[in-house]
Amino acid sequence: MNSKQLKRSLKIKWLTYYRDNREWIDKLGIWVTSNGHRRPASGFILGALSSLEPDLTTLLPLVVDLSSNPDRIISALGLDISPVKELEALEKAHKLLPSSAQTEVSLAAPEPLTIDAPSPLPANYDDEACSGAGGREIDRPRP
């Protein structure tokens, strides 16, 4: 996973976590204002994400060696954002899109595409009945 994918994954996971747990997170006294954005404290965000993103737990020791300032880490990960404003913007964008494009704007990862496999042929299937391509006599199997 490259850094751009990791940042996007972390943002989606953080916003999803915040949305799902907003009722109790909003009541905690962990809110700070950073660069004009009101958000939970960096330590709280990092703690939540370390349990949600396995790749982050392998990178955090290296990142902390480079900078032990949690606010700088959050900023470098692209998470110095207001989760409330981000969720409102996503919801607004979702409503403005035509219905066919609305599935592209969501917090959750897309559902994996599954294609139904053709049903297996019955045991008594006779492949000799094949008429060949184009129905030409030369393509038909010979007895």
Side-chain angles (χ1 to χ4, degrees):
M1 180 179 291
N2 67 35
S3 63
K4 192 174 185 178
Q5 290 172 326
L6 179 63
K7 285 180 180 183
R8 176 158 170 71
S9 172
L10 290 173
K11 184 175 182 178
I12 290 169
K13 288 180 181 185
W14 165 240
L15 290 174
T16 302
Y17 179 82
Y18 175 77
R19 181 195 64 202
D20 294 346
N21 297 284
R22 184 175 186 171
E23 184 178 330
W24 64 268
I25 293 174
D26 286 349
K27 294 177 184 177
L28 293 176
I30 58 168
W31 291 84
V32 298
T33 301
S34 173
N35 295 325
H37 304 290
R38 186 173 183 271
R39 62 166 172 76
S42 300
F44 180 83
I45 295 171
L46 289 172
L49 287 175
S50 67
S51 67
L52 297 171
E53 178 58 63
D55 289 338
L56 185 61
T57 58
T58 59
L59 291 174
L60 273 179
L62 173 65
V63 172
V64 171
D65 283 345
L66 297 172
S67 174
S68 60
N69 182 333
D71 291 326
R72 289 185 68 188
I73 296 170
I74 287 297
S75 182
L77 293 174
L79 298 173
D80 193 10
I81 57 173
S82 167
V84 175
K85 289 180 181 177
E86 287 289 320
L87 288 172
E88 288 171 356
L90 284 171
E91 186 176 313
K92 185 177 180 180
H94 184 72
K95 288 180 180 177
L96 293 176
L97 290 174
S99 60
S100 63
Q102 285 184 359
T103 56
E104 293 181 20
V105 178
S106 70
L107 290 177
E111 293 293 323
L113 179 63
T114 57
I115 300 174
D116 294 333
S119 57
L121 298 172
N124 62 353
Y125 177 75
D126 182 12
D127 196 24
E128 295 299 321
C130 177
S131 62
R136 300 178 302 178
E137 182 65 30
I138 195 165
D139 291 334
R140 294 176 199 252
R142 302 283 182 228

